[in-house]
Structures are given as structure tokens and as C-alpha cells.
Amino acid sequence: MTAASRPDDLSAASACAEDAAPYSLEVLEKLSGISGEAILRYREQGLLSARPGSRAGSPEFDPAALLVLRRIEHLREACGLNLRGLKLMMAMAEEIEQLREALRLRR
């Protein structure tokens, strides 16, 4: 399986997210099965970003946010990571994706 075909490839999802309709907090909560309170907490901690231009009281999220939430929940539940561990792993995953993209551009 190539990097671009992996189901958790956030770079591909992010590229499509700009054109897709945003998700409200309520929709993201239903799709992910994660409470709105937890989603907002992840956002406050910098693990999840709202769409630029969305209001603080009613944030909107790109479809890629659903993949991010699934990754966060997997790391939290399966690996037992706390918030500090989640931040570290998510930062590392983002850096890996950036390095992969840089390699793709060099080829």
C-alpha cells in the first residue's frame, strides 16, 4: 500500500478538504462518535483546527478533521496516550507527512 492510498493519509484528505463543505461541531460529533466537549478540548489544546474564518462560538471543521479525530481516539484508546503523549504523537505524524510530501515533490 502506498502512502497516498493509506486510509489515514491526512495530506490527501487536507487537499480535498478545501473544496468540501465544512462540518459543524454537531455533525462532527455525530460522525466521529466523540462528544462535542472532547472535540472542543482537542481544539483548545491545538490537536484539532477549525476552519479559518469560523466563529469561536460555532466552529466549522474540514472533513480532514474527522480523520484527525479518529487518529487521536485510536492513540488515546489503543495506546493509552494522555494529552501530552497525544500532542507529541500528532506533532510527529504531521512532521512525517511534511517530510513525505517533500520527498514526493523531489521525485
Side-chain angles (χ1 to χ4, degrees):
M1 183 177 285
T2 66
S5 65
R6 288 175 309 144
D8 64 339
D9 186 16
L10 296 177
S11 61
S14 295
C16 297
E18 293 175 8
D19 299 329
Y23 294 148
S24 67
L25 178 61
E26 294 78 20
V27 170
L28 193 59
E29 183 177 7
K30 287 179 184 173
L31 290 173
S32 68
I34 300 169
S35 73
E37 183 179 297
I39 292 170
L40 292 175
R41 187 171 49 248
Y42 292 147
R43 181 176 173 228
E44 288 170 6
Q45 295 297 323
L47 294 170
L48 184 68
S49 297
R51 207 167 202 191
S54 62
R55 297 176 306 216
S58 58
E60 295 180 333
F61 299 90
D62 290 326
L66 185 57
L67 295 174
V68 172
L69 283 173
R70 288 180 178 155
R71 182 179 278 175
I72 289 169
E73 283 301 291
H74 170 74
L75 291 169
R76 194 181 66 74
E77 292 175 3
C79 303
L81 294 181
N82 61 16
L83 188 57
R84 181 177 283 165
L86 287 170
K87 285 181 178 181
L88 177 63
M89 290 300 290
M90 295 301 290
M92 289 172 53
E94 184 177 330
E95 187 171 341
I96 289 168
E97 285 301 319
Q98 290 171 354
L99 291 169
R100 284 182 176 153
E101 183 61 26
L103 281 174
R104 279 192 283 265
L105 292 174
R106 293 182 103 195
R107 294 181 185 174

